[in-house]
């Protein structure tokens, strides 16, 4: 689900980490100051397959189609309620990783996260 281009950036919500190139994703993790084990493609794939959480990972592309930002996310149940919430990696630490166009990339990530949290998209 790619959103429209905004200032040269485009965002996409992935329903599985398998929808993106492993090397491209891990390159962002390695280049970012905050990237670590729990952001890596292999960890996310293990969580998807082992725990069965519903992924909604956000990827931001520049005008050339290069990944410049990512935010791994999963939809989880809120205990003892019929509600769900979006978490950035559970178990583990997540959050956005951005290597270029920081402000614009973060804006795109937050816009997509808001769309995911809309009841009709969960």
């Amino acid at each position: 689900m790619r959103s429209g281009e905004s200032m040269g950036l485009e965002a996409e919500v992935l329903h599985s980490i398998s929808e993106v190139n492993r090397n491209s994703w891990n390159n962002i993790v390695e280049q970012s100051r905050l990237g670590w084990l729990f952001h890596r493609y292999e960890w996310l794939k293990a969580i998807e397959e082992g725990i069965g959480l519903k992924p909604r990972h956000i990827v931001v592309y520049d005008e050339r189609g290069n990944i410049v930002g990512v935010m791994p996310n999963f939809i989880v149940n809120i205990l003892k309620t019929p509600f769900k919430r979006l978490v950035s990696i559970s178990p583990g630490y997540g959050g956005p990783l951005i290597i270029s166009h920081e402000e614009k990339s973060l804006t795109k990530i937050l816009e997509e996260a808001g769309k995911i949290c809309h009841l009709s998209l969960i």
Side-chain angles (χ1 to χ4, degrees), residues 64-106:
R64 294 171 301 197
N66 298 316
I67 298 175
V68 296
V70 299
M71 184 169 173
N73 297 291
F74 293 96
I75 296 171
V76 299
N77 294 322
I78 298 175
L79 293 176
K80 300 182 182 181
T81 75
F83 304 109
K84 300 178 186 297
R85 65 187 176 112
L86 188 68
V87 297
S88 183
I89 308 179
S90 179
Y93 164 78
L97 299 178
I98 300 169
I99 61 166
S100 173
H101 310 290
E102 289 85 2
E103 187 175 335
K104 294 174 188 174
S105 293
L106 183 58

Side-chain angles (χ1 to χ4, degrees), residues 29-118:
V29 176
E30 292 163 9
Q31 287 187 40
S32 172
R33 290 183 299 118
L34 301 175
W36 71 318
L37 168 71
F38 300 114
H39 286 98
R40 291 188 59 82
Y41 181 100
E42 295 81 4
W43 177 261
L44 299 172
K45 188 165 181 69
I47 295 299
E48 287 180 23
E49 293 176 1
I51 298 178
L53 295 180
K54 186 187 286 188
R56 292 295 183 270
H57 310 306
I58 301 170
V59 179
V60 179
Y61 300 91
D62 68 11
E63 58 281 348
R64 294 171 301 197
N66 298 316
I67 298 175
V68 296
V70 299
M71 184 169 173
N73 297 291
F74 293 96
I75 296 171
V76 299
N77 294 322
I78 298 175
L79 293 176
K80 300 182 182 181
T81 75
F83 304 109
K84 300 178 186 297
R85 65 187 176 112
L86 188 68
V87 297
S88 183
I89 308 179
S90 179
Y93 164 78
L97 299 178
I98 300 169
I99 61 166
S100 173
H101 310 290
E102 289 85 2
E103 187 175 335
K104 294 174 188 174
S105 293
L106 183 58
T107 297
K108 295 299 282 182
I109 287 171
L110 294 175
E111 287 172 356
E112 293 304 313
K115 291 176 190 175
I116 294 168
C117 291
H118 187 273

Side-chain angles (χ1 to χ4, degrees), residues 11-25:
E12 179 178 21
V13 176
L14 307 178
H15 292 244
S16 172
I17 193 65
S18 299
E19 295 176 25
V20 69
N21 178 277
R22 181 180 62 87
N23 292 332
S24 296
W25 182 281

